[in-house]
Amino acid sequence: MNDRRTIRRFRQHPAARLFAAGLLMFVADAEAQAEARDQADAPPPATDGPKDPAKIELGPVDVKGERPPVAVGPLPGLNLTRDQIPSAIQSATAEEIRASHSIGIADFFNNRLQSVTVNDYQGNPFQVDVTFRGFTAGPQLGTPQGLSVFFDGVRVNEPFGDIVNWDLLPTNAIERLDLFPGSNPVFGLNTLGGAISLRSKSGFTAKGIEADALAGSFGRRQLQVAAGGSQGPLAGFGAVHYFDEDGWRDNSPSRLVQGFGRADYRLDVGTVTASALVSGNRLIGNGLVPIEMFRNDRSAVFTSPDETRNRASQINLSGLFDLTDRSSLTAQLYRRDSRRKSLNGDAYDDFDEFFFSGNQANRVITNPDDPVCRYADVDGDGLRDTVTGGGLQPPLNDPFLEGLCRNVSRLGTARNGAYGFGSNGVLGDAAGVVEGTPNGVYTRTRIGQLTYGGALQWNLNLADHKLLVGASYDDSRARYRATQQLALIDDNRRVYLDPDNIDPLYYAAANPLTINAFNGTSRTWSAYFSETWSARDNLFVTLSARYNINKVDNQVTARIGEDIHEVLNREPTFILCPSNDLASCPDTLGPIIPNNLAREAQDVTREKFGFYSFNPSFGLNWLPIPTVNLYVNLSRGARAPSVIELGCAYDPTPVQTAPGFIDPVTGVYVPPQTAPRSQVGPTCALPTALSGDPYLPQIRSLSAEVGARGQLFGAWEWNASVFRTDLKDDIYFAGASPTRSFFDTIDKTRREGFELGIKGSAGAFDLRASYSLTSATFESEFYVLSPNNSSADFNQNSVPGNVLSPTADANDGRGTFRAIRVDPGALLPGVPLHNLTAGIDWRLTRSFKLGLSAIAHSRSFVRGNENNAHQPEGSDQITDGFGPVPRVGSIFTGGRPFTEKGYVPGYAVINFDASYRLPRGFTVFARITNLLDQTYFSAGRLGVTP
């Protein structure tokens, strides 16, 4: 048994390093150019007259002051100093983001912020999961989200799954970012572990032209251009970002285009702002790769294509108006439209089912020499005619049923060689597949999402009280459709459609089948407030709260019944004639008759849910001395289940699978047999399948944080904090059977740990370092399907109702076959326990700077190893409680061995950068990512290598 793991490795050969180091990058700073022009246009100094006594020219002086105030919510209007915020807030300015030369905002988080890790399951730098203190924000459908993200006050968590598409956020348009930890209620739903607030630049603050271009290894090219300016009360700003690369893995090109524009108009009573964001991206992320394949070829992909096309537009109109000298009003209206099209080519997971299965088996005619029966079909309905009084007419070429003809019959043999007889006559020892057998699947998904809403916030700025009171409304509409089509895989493991070379029996080879369709709306009404009271000059008390009403209305259509390879066209076994005259009959069998999908059942479910929550927060800041700030915070948060979680919720409602009857031998009534609805109803195989299922409770969080921050020696800043967040009714993707998986609630989970950080300057050196310990654990016992985990239950009797296994009725009646038990204290997959970031910049001259940065993470468990118990030993041999059970299609004894560990090892990556400032605002810089060319894995999952 082998792990499929994501390999996030920047593979630079010496030539690639040299090329990257020799790149010219420029930043055209219009303010510097304007200063140079002013100096050039200034009149020359007088040559006669008295000279200025003792005139001394000084070079530029860097003055470090206090950080600017922070807006305490998604909307501007009420700003607090860091000393008044009772949490370990992290902030960054536009200059800090630009100086990092990050290709995207997620890249900046990974390199610069505390307690942040990145899991690259897709193998694309713009499709990563960003994890902060064990909570995630990322683009993968089905990944439970726990961070809320805002851009200019608009929540960018998409309504379908609460996901965040990092590729839609333009880095060069960001004026500042703030990361608020904990369950801050002011930011609303989904703020379980933190909130990220991004604010855009304006023409009043970002004047001039700024351009940034780079080229690098693997065909990477990037251009960022931004310009801003003002004239009287009017200001404008615009930014464009273009990114293109071939990718370091095979068949992995990506292209990204972003545009942003903003206009501000200052009135006597305030400022009106209008902005627009557009993005259109084509991202290739070919996902996980078997470890054996990686060892042979580090740039290999398992299957391709894996393409995502994101389109988004956002329009935002806001205003900040002064009511009095001490109070103001903030108003906002917005509309956000995003669309996603995905195309995934994968090995067909149900390939093992191509065996002795009647009509789908490889067909061999058993009576090639006998005449084929011919029947009348006078009405042309494609069916044999009937005789008066009922019954079918006899064959025209055998009217007295004397055996003069025979309908064509087929002898089924295994299409999958693993189920056939080998040359040695042993079942399960054959090789290959029958020609025309599909071994790949093409999955297309389309998601359309439209969100609009508004907010109104009153702000009061008094000497001792900072108060905001607000209300908001958000309306989200989402559409989802997924189709699948059978395909083939070439020698390069590229999945392609080729109906002409697939047996015409398979309807889904030429016709995409709709797997799921969804339409839904979500409406949220909120009211909130936050008050910060300056009890003393060095003591601040914060109280805030939010009340949410969330209404969800979904309609889910799910395909049930046969798998797509079981949807078959009808192959004629006799000849139909247009009249009762035998001479009118064709000489050969007719063509295959397409399936009319009459057997394709559709489960349509209409669901309505309501969620209500009141989330308070209390905080305290105390400065015992001016350079030390101590704080404590206690807060409560909530997250309503997303559309995809509600659509895939496990339903334990018993449904009848067999009617009751009276035993003819004993005369005793045997009651009807039942099973949970989710085990017999529509399947849910994320991200391509949904089913209408029952209510899931909303997640409730309780967060606590105690910390301190301050300054040392005037030039150094430090911070330390201890945190804990407990979740009630957390949602996790759990298994109901080997072929059915659903979201279910876990009673309790926990994220806790501590952070340490320091940064400052010493002479010509700027240094920074931070360490965090993040323990993310399950705190309740539960079962989850994990057939590739060595500790799974391989006793086939461990199914519901079987008295031969003690755990048959465990797991809430679902049984434990191929499932693992997760005990309290087990670590969540994908969250390293230890995390370290560090950096040093050396200012050799006023213009020349060199830098080194490092990122290090300890090992983390892979998905499928939620119980942390998988070992590279044993096999997946199925037993019956007494010994091994022979199994067709696999090795009869010993099963498939487990050979890989259940975690990805820890790693450290060192990056290098250099910059040199040229005259007139230009800068040349170079960056080498993964300087030591380390091989490392950021995440993975347990799986089978075909």
Side-chain angles (χ1 to χ4, degrees):
M1 191 63 57
N2 304 292
D3 300 341
R4 289 180 185 168
R5 299 176 178 173
T6 295
I7 298 99
R8 184 67 183 98
R9 179 177 183 274
F10 206 83
R11 220 177 133 213
Q12 290 186 319
H13 301 290
R17 284 204 193 95
L18 180 60
F19 178 72
L23 289 175
L24 292 181
M25 309 293 299
F26 66 91
V27 176
D29 186 339
E31 291 182 338
Q33 293 182 13
E35 181 182 353
R37 286 195 300 269
D38 292 343
Q39 292 176 356
D41 295 339
T47 56
D48 49 32
K51 296 182 179 180
D52 295 336
K55 184 176 181 180
I56 301 175
E57 293 186 0
L58 299 176
V61 177
D62 293 331
V63 178
K64 294 186 177 181
E66 294 185 357
R67 287 181 176 269
V70 178
V72 295
L75 299 179
L78 186 67
N79 296 333
L80 299 177
T81 66
R82 292 169 61 87
D83 290 341
Q84 297 171 314
I85 298 176
S87 65
I89 181 175
Q90 300 183 65
S91 303
T93 64
E95 178 57 34
E96 291 171 323
I97 297 173
R98 186 179 71 178
S100 72
H101 306 307
S102 300
I103 63 171
I105 193 64
D107 186 33
F108 178 83
F109 290 155
N110 187 42
N111 285 282
R112 293 301 180 102
L113 299 187
Q114 286 184 338
S115 299
V116 170
T117 59
V118 164
N119 293 334
D120 191 1
Y121 287 100
Q122 282 299 106
N124 188 291
F126 294 99
Q127 293 179 292
V128 298
D129 286 342
V130 174
T131 300
F132 170 67
R133 291 185 176 181
F135 292 93
T136 299
Q140 304 305 318
L141 287 172
T143 298
Q145 309 286 320
L147 302 175
S148 57
V149 183
F150 295 84
F151 182 69
D152 278 343
V154 178
R155 189 172 183 265
V156 297
N157 296 77
E158 305 289 0
F160 190 77
D162 279 331
I163 65 170
V164 177
N165 292 309
W166 300 113
D167 60 296
L168 302 180
L169 301 174
T171 306
N172 61 330
I174 297 174
E175 177 71 27
R176 69 172 288 133
L177 71 85
D178 298 295
L179 172 55
F180 295 83
S183 304
N184 191 324
V186 177
F187 288 92
L189 293 175
N190 204 50
T191 310
L192 300 177
I196 300 171
S197 178
L198 309 173
R199 302 194 183 278
S200 66
K201 299 176 181 177
S202 78
F204 288 121
T205 59
K207 297 181 179 180
I209 300 174
E210 176 182 294
D212 188 322
L214 70 82
S217 302
F218 311 110
R220 176 169 290 182
R221 298 168 294 275
Q222 179 175 269
L223 175 65
Q224 298 183 87
V225 180
S230 63
Q231 183 68 42
L234 182 64
F237 173 82
V240 175
H241 179 197
Y242 174 82
F243 178 90
D244 187 21
E245 72 170 4
D246 298 329
W248 67 273
R249 298 174 67 186
D250 297 338
N251 302 321
S252 299
S254 291
R255 185 185 64 215
L256 179 146
V257 180
Q258 301 168 335
F260 176 79
R262 170 172 166 167
D264 295 86
Y265 188 76
R266 285 180 175 171
L267 306 170
D268 293 338
V269 294
T271 302
V272 177
T273 300
S275 65
L277 167 68
V278 293
S279 297
N281 309 323
R282 176 178 176 268
L283 307 176
I284 304 293
N286 285 310
L288 306 177
V289 62
I291 191 67
E292 297 92 347
M293 187 178 295
F294 167 78
R295 289 166 180 159
N296 292 328
D297 182 1
R298 296 179 179 180
S299 61
V301 300
F302 181 47
T303 57
S304 65
D306 193 340
E307 177 183 302
T308 299
R309 293 178 181 265
N310 286 329
R311 301 287 184 273
S313 63
Q314 177 178 305
I315 301 173
N316 190 13
L317 178 64
S318 62
L320 179 58
F321 307 99
D322 295 328
L323 301 178
T324 67
D325 293 340
R326 297 292 185 180
S327 65
S328 62
L329 186 69
T330 306
Q332 180 185 61
L333 294 173
Y334 74 91
R335 182 184 187 275
R336 178 178 174 84
D337 186 1
S338 65
R339 303 172 187 271
R340 170 187 281 196
K341 295 181 181 180
S342 298
L343 173 62
N344 302 92
D346 298 292
Y348 188 50
D349 289 339
D350 292 324
F351 178 75
D352 285 352
E353 300 300 324
F354 288 114
F355 67 115
F356 300 104
S357 183
N359 292 333
Q360 68 168 326
N362 181 39
R363 298 169 311 285
V364 179
I365 298 176
T366 59
N367 55 331
D369 297 327
D370 295 334
V372 177
C373 294
R374 289 157 169 78
Y375 298 90
D377 179 22
V378 178
D379 57 7
D381 63 355
L383 301 174
R384 297 161 58 182
D385 289 344
T386 59
V387 298
T388 303
L392 296 173
Q393 288 187 0
L396 296 178
N397 55 345
D398 188 13
F400 301 105
L401 301 177
E402 299 175 296
L404 301 179
C405 71
R406 295 180 61 184
N407 294 337
V408 174
S409 60
R410 304 289 181 173
L411 174 64
T413 61
R415 284 186 168 273
N416 180 353
Y419 289 89
F421 289 91
S423 57
N424 56 3
V426 176
L427 180 64
D429 199 33
V433 296
V434 174
E435 185 175 353
T437 301
N439 55 2
V441 60
Y442 234 50
T443 302
R444 292 184 175 92
T445 61
R446 290 193 175 190
I447 302 173
Q449 300 163 112
L450 175 64
T451 305
Y452 58 89
L456 196 64
Q457 180 177 295
W458 177 66
N459 315 291
L460 180 65
N461 287 274
L462 301 178
D464 295 333
H465 293 274
K466 309 291 184 182
L467 173 67
L468 66 82
V469 179
S472 65
Y473 171 74
D474 301 278
D475 189 301
S476 300
R477 300 159 190 254
R479 303 182 310 278
Y480 174 88
R481 185 171 183 264
T483 64
Q484 287 188 331
Q485 195 168 351
L486 294 173
L488 298 174
I489 303 178
D490 63 20
D491 293 339
N492 295 319
R493 296 174 303 282
R494 185 172 181 84
V495 181
Y496 64 98
L497 298 176
D498 191 0
D500 293 338
N501 286 306
I502 295 179
D503 193 316
L505 186 69
Y506 295 103
Y507 178 85
N511 304 277
L513 290 179
T514 299
I515 308 302
N516 296 105
F518 161 83
N519 286 280
T521 61
S522 175
R523 297 180 175 90
T524 303
W525 296 262
S526 300
Y528 59 92
F529 80 91
S530 179
E531 151 75 352
T532 299
W533 171 42
S534 300
R536 295 182 179 179
D537 292 341
N538 64 342
L539 182 64
F540 309 97
V541 181
T542 299
L543 181 65
S544 59
R546 188 182 191 101
Y547 183 72
N548 300 304
I549 301 175
N550 179 238
K551 300 286 188 178
V552 180
D553 187 353
N554 293 341
Q555 179 174 304
V556 180
T557 303
R559 179 180 171 275
I560 59 178
E562 302 163 319
D563 292 326
I564 64 171
H565 73 275
E566 296 175 321
V567 180
L568 305 177
N569 296 318
R570 186 155 55 91
E571 184 179 32
T573 59
F574 47 81
I575 295 174
L576 292 176
C577 309
S579 70
N580 287 313
D581 184 2
L582 184 62
S584 68
C585 298
D587 295 329
T588 59
L589 291 169
I592 285 181
I593 302 171
N595 192 316
N596 62 7
L597 299 184
R599 295 180 300 165
E600 289 296 296
Q602 296 287 328
D603 182 86
V604 180
T605 305
R606 182 75 178 267
E607 310 166 316
K608 291 187 177 182
F609 306 102
F611 303 96
Y612 309 86
S613 62
F614 177 73
N615 306 310
S617 175
F618 171 80
L620 186 69
N621 290 79
W622 178 47
L623 282 74
I625 58 176
T627 57
V628 174
N629 183 297
L630 307 178
Y631 60 86
V632 61
N633 177 269
L634 185 66
S635 58
R636 189 168 176 83
R639 179 169 84 82
S642 67
V643 166
I644 199 168
E645 290 163 341
L646 288 171
C648 287
Y650 181 78
D651 187 355
T653 304
V655 295
Q656 182 173 304
T657 58
F661 64 95
I662 297 177
D663 190 311
V665 177
T666 64
V668 177
Y669 177 73
V670 178
Q673 297 182 20
T674 63
R677 179 177 182 270
S678 288
Q679 293 191 13
V680 297
T683 185
C684 191
L686 287 178
T688 59
L690 295 172
S691 62
D693 282 299
Y695 174 88
L696 283 176
Q698 63 182 334
I699 305 172
R700 300 308 306 267
S701 65
L702 180 62
S703 296
E705 182 175 0
V706 178
R709 55 177 169 249
Q711 293 183 332
L712 290 174
F713 315 119
W716 290 81
E717 296 180 4
W718 60 272
N719 68 277
S721 61
V722 178
F723 60 89
R724 171 184 287 183
T725 299
D726 288 332
L727 297 188
K728 174 68 175 175
D729 293 324
D730 201 357
I731 298 175
Y732 202 76
F733 197 42
S737 75
T739 58
R740 297 177 184 273
S741 296
F742 298 86
F743 281 106
D744 205 353
T745 57
I746 300 173
D747 187 34
K748 297 177 183 178
T749 62
R750 173 174 293 168
R751 283 83 167 168
E752 63 182 354
F754 64 87
E755 299 169 336
L756 299 171
I758 189 169
K759 63 180 180 179
S761 301
F765 295 93
D766 297 326
L767 302 99
R768 66 181 186 278
S770 65
Y771 166 79
S772 66
L773 183 147
T774 302
S775 175
T777 57
F778 299 105
E779 293 299 319
S780 299
E781 178 186 302
F782 70 100
Y783 288 86
V784 61
L785 183 74
S786 186
N788 303 313
N789 189 311
S790 64
S791 63
D793 182 1
F794 294 108
N795 184 349
Q796 65 179 4
N797 293 321
S798 300
V799 294
N802 195 324
V803 298
L804 297 179
S805 172
T807 59
D809 293 324
N811 192 13
D812 294 329
R814 308 173 210 178
T816 61
F817 181 52
R818 289 178 172 168
I820 59 175
R821 191 184 73 186
V822 181
D823 294 323
L827 295 172
L828 273 68
V831 183
L833 186 64
H834 304 283
N835 307 278
L836 176 69
T837 60
I840 179 172
D841 294 324
W842 180 20
R843 301 184 302 276
L844 282 81
T845 68
R846 289 168 50 187
S847 300
F848 188 27
K849 183 171 68 173
L850 299 177
L852 286 175
S853 62
I855 306 170
H857 301 292
S858 63
R859 74 175 189 177
S860 61
F861 292 101
V862 301
R863 291 178 178 176
N865 193 21
E866 283 78 7
N867 62 351
N868 309 163
H870 174 80
Q871 297 294 327
E873 59 189 26
S875 73
D876 66 346
Q877 175 65 56
I878 295 177
T879 70
D880 60 3
F882 301 98
V885 175
R887 181 175 58 180
V888 176
S890 182
I891 302 173
F892 286 133
T893 59
R896 293 169 292 193
F898 298 107
T899 61
E900 302 296 332
K901 298 177 180 179
Y903 59 86
V904 293
Y907 64 90
V909 177
I910 297 177
N911 304 319
F912 168 82
D913 61 86
S915 63
Y916 188 83
R917 285 192 298 177
L918 299 172
R920 302 184 65 83
F922 286 88
T923 299
V924 180
F925 70 83
R927 185 186 187 197
I928 300 178
T929 305
N930 195 2
L931 179 65
L932 303 181
D933 200 24
Q934 294 292 313
T935 299
Y936 65 95
F937 309 89
S938 66
R941 71 171 174 87
L942 297 176
V944 178
T945 301

